Amino acid sequence: MTATLDILRIRLDSAEQGHVLGFWDRLDDEARAALLDDVASVDLEQLKALHRRSLDQEPTGPASVEALPQITKGADSQADADARRVGEQLLRDGKSCAFTVAGGQGTRLGHEGPKGTFPATPIQGKPLFQVFAEKLLVLERRFLQPVPWYVMTSPGNHDDTQSFFAQHDYFGLKSDHVMFFQQGTMPALTADGRLILESEHALFRSPDGHGGSLRALFESGAVADMETRGVEEIYYFQVDNPLVEMCDPVFMGYHRQRGSEFSSKSVPKRAPEEKVGILVLVDGKPGVIEYSDLADGLRNAREDSGLLRFRAGNIAVHAISRAFVERLNEGGFGLPMHIARKKIPAKQPDGAIASVDGIKFETFVFDALPLARKVLLMEVPRATEFAPIKNRDGSDSPETSWRAQSTQFADWLEAAGVVVPRDPDGSPQHRIEICPLFADSRQEVAQRRTELPDSIDADTMIA
Ligand code: UTP
């Protein structure tokens, strides 16, 4: 240990990070070994460069931004039907899998426990993980083939996530078909570039962003597991969207037919001011740019049809081919690090914990778009596919998601001839929930018409 310690000390001192060994003399052997491992894994040069970049007041924006051509779901029913057949065959052949990124910290929602355990449905308050599990069960029954489900966690929520599934008996899925793995982490820095200690023997680290999934899928063995199972296509979605159309065969079908390596769904932006990342061509390459990086003129630009020219709001639903993830990892790749300034609890030299201004680093999965040989963008209706739960109140909150879910169920019931009273803004007057295992589409609801009430006069659960 002494030799390793000496080398590390020299490295740390020359990077002005010697303070991380400040508690060394008080540590027992186990804590010393843990700290050595922790610090030895840090790329000090990379952190130095990242810190230097964080000091740039005015990062250079993209030189050119153009709209990324997209297909629109529902615009060509024949093409959609052909794509659906391809996507359904993938499910029948066991070639599609589900992949949930659930490693985030969910700070805005402030829920105790992993975000996937949050009660998400309007009547029964089913946790997000259960919502996804039931949608997967429906696919398994329909295509007589289990859909492997990969769940990415992070060190802070991994054990709780696994125990939640175990406590709930995997919500009816076979545990052999649900795989958990952890993403990587990145150390955080103080505003002046110093590593932060979380305790006397550990650096403060946070998950390395959803972009970390592309490495973690490979390094965890998930991709190898996919190969063994014959999985070729990955349906990527976030843990907070209960409206996700699970393994959407139309989307997966187009992705496959067109030979895309990385496909994305978009929803039309509600208004130029909506603060959402948009899928565009940046300097000729596909990517996502933040609302704030779009000049006013472009933000408000419209097509002749009146639609916003830059309207492809990113909802973080992607189809990613397994071969693409393999190619990236085998060839070596890096995604750009994004910087987030946050308050961080830091161990002080006197042993106290104080909240300091810190810098966290994250990668974003959509930054891999330009690395794909072929991409595909498909616009889908927001109302039926996207109702995320991000904040406690206001936009993208449980309340807005419950309303969107109830509205989708109301639409299905009305199409089947059930009377659903609505408020002037179109929202159903009562909360409605339909269990996916009862019916998971407009057509299925219509087929079960005789089991439905004639009208919805109170909050209603249909299961
Ligand atoms: P968000 O950016 O909404 O972050 O993540 P979050 O952690 O859920 O919530 P806040 O920002 O702290 O309030 C979008 C999706 O990406 C996953 C999240 O779990 C969520 O499904 N994610 C995010 C990861 O899996 N790992 C990360 O490091 C970050």
Side-chain angles (χ1 to χ4, degrees):
M1 195 189 282
T2 325
T4 324
L5 174 65
D6 289 345
I7 295 168
L8 204 57
R9 214 186 271 284
I10 294 168
R11 270 185 62 211
L12 287 167
D13 286 343
S14 67
E16 294 172 54
Q17 302 288 7
H19 64 284
V20 300
L21 300 179
F23 295 98
W24 185 262
D25 293 342
R26 309 196 204 162
L27 301 180
D28 61 21
D29 283 351
E30 199 182 332
R32 285 180 173 183
L35 183 59
L36 280 187
D37 273 359
D38 195 3
V39 177
S41 69
V42 173
D43 183 341
L44 293 169
E45 283 304 309
Q46 181 201 28
L47 281 176
K48 193 168 179 184
L50 287 170
H51 178 250
R52 215 175 299 123
R53 221 186 68 213
S54 78
L55 300 175
D56 286 349
Q57 291 304 310
E58 284 174 31
T60 43
S64 87
V65 181
E66 289 160 65
L68 179 59
Q70 53 179 354
I71 54 174
T72 304
K73 196 181 195 182
D76 180 341
S77 50
Q78 186 55 53
D80 283 4
D82 291 344
R84 177 181 290 283
R85 263 190 298 279
V86 174
E88 290 184 347
Q89 195 58 44
L90 287 174
L91 287 163
R92 222 169 266 122
D93 294 342
K95 290 185 177 166
S96 277
C97 72
F99 175 38
T100 312
V101 283
Q105 293 168 307
T107 7
R108 286 168 287 171
L109 187 60
H111 168 62
E112 183 74 26
K115 212 189 215 184
T117 66
F118 186 81
T121 61
I123 304 276
Q124 286 205 327
K126 284 182 192 167
L128 284 153
F129 284 135
Q130 181 173 0
V131 174
F132 306 139
E134 288 180 348
K135 291 182 190 226
L136 287 166
L137 272 175
V138 171
L139 293 179
E140 177 171 342
R141 288 185 194 168
R142 186 167 302 144
F143 297 105
L144 306 175
Q145 178 74 250
V147 183
W149 184 14
Y150 299 86
V151 180
M152 185 179 81
T153 61
S154 54
N157 67 18
H158 184 76
D159 292 345
D160 288 346
T161 302
Q162 276 194 311
S163 347
F164 190 73
F165 274 78
Q167 274 158 26
H168 293 88
D169 213 5
Y170 288 74
F171 307 103
L173 294 168
K174 281 218 179 62
S175 59
D176 304 353
H177 302 311
V178 187
M179 276 66 59
F180 303 91
F181 62 91
Q182 297 189 49
Q183 68 178 108
T185 57
M186 273 296 284
L189 297 178
T190 58
D192 57 0
R194 286 155 65 84
L195 284 161
I196 296 175
L197 282 173
E198 177 185 78
S199 69
E200 293 180 351
H201 63 275
L203 295 175
F204 180 94
R205 290 171 173 272
S206 50
D208 60 359
H210 40 68
S213 62
L214 293 173
R215 199 178 299 282
L217 272 168
F218 192 79
E219 289 184 351
S220 66
V223 160
D225 181 81
M226 287 176 194
E227 192 177 2
T228 312
R229 290 170 194 261
V231 168
E232 294 177 5
E233 304 294 350
I234 304 169
Y235 189 78
Y236 170 113
F237 60 97
Q238 299 191 336
V239 74
D240 46 25
N241 178 21
L243 269 193
V244 66
E245 184 151 349
M246 187 59 75
C247 299
D248 180 359
V250 176
F251 178 57
M252 295 304 271
Y254 276 119
H255 165 79
R256 186 82 173 184
Q257 278 176 324
R258 311 249 171 140
S260 168
E261 287 190 319
F262 193 142
S263 302
S264 294
K265 286 192 178 187
S266 74
V267 298
K269 263 176 85 165
R270 290 198 176 101
E273 304 72 40
E274 187 182 353
K275 291 195 171 58
V276 60
I278 351 176
L279 289 141
V280 286
L281 285 170
V282 185
D283 298 336
K285 296 215 163 225
V288 170
I289 61 169
E290 290 308 320
Y291 159 88
S292 48
D293 289 340
L294 199 59
D296 275 357
L298 297 182
R299 201 180 289 162
N300 292 303
R302 294 200 180 258
E303 295 175 348
D304 292 344
S305 62
L307 292 172
L308 285 173
R309 193 162 137 229
F310 297 101
R311 63 173 178 282
N314 175 34
I315 59 168
V317 175
H318 308 289
I320 305 174
S321 69
R322 191 193 86 213
F324 176 55
V325 181
E326 284 166 351
R327 180 159 64 75
L328 285 184
N329 284 278
E330 281 159 4
F333 77 110
L335 297 180
M337 285 283 172
H338 296 259
I339 288 165
R341 293 178 195 281
K342 300 266 164 87
K343 287 278 180 199
I344 296 177
K347 190 89 174 161
Q348 302 299 298
D350 64 2
I353 297 282
S355 172
V356 301
D357 288 325
I359 310 172
K360 289 185 178 179
F361 303 99
E362 287 190 319
T363 56
F364 296 158
V365 73
F366 49 71
D367 282 329
L369 274 163
L371 305 179
R373 291 190 183 124
K374 190 135 199 227
V375 305
L376 173 94
L377 180 58
M378 186 172 92
E379 184 176 278
V380 301
R382 180 190 298 251
T384 55
E385 303 211 16
F386 187 55
I389 300 177
K390 299 239 179 236
N391 305 305
R392 250 172 195 281
D393 321 286
S395 62
D396 296 341
S397 63
E399 188 64 43
T400 57
S401 184
W402 292 332
R403 200 171 323 127
Q405 293 173 64
S406 289
T407 303
Q408 184 183 50
F409 297 137
D411 291 347
W412 293 353
L413 290 171
E414 272 179 352
V418 176
V419 176
V420 183
R422 301 221 188 210
D423 287 334
D425 70 356
S427 314
Q429 280 177 8
H430 306 287
R431 286 192 192 179
I432 307 170
E433 180 172 338
I434 303 180
C435 177
L437 298 168
F438 174 86
D440 79 328
S441 65
R442 188 183 294 260
Q443 295 74 12
E444 287 211 349
V445 168
Q447 279 162 17
R448 301 193 69 164
R449 177 66 188 95
T450 53
E451 297 161 73
L452 301 172
D454 289 332
S455 65
I456 299 294
D457 306 318
D459 289 354
T460 303
M461 175 76 210
I462 297 173

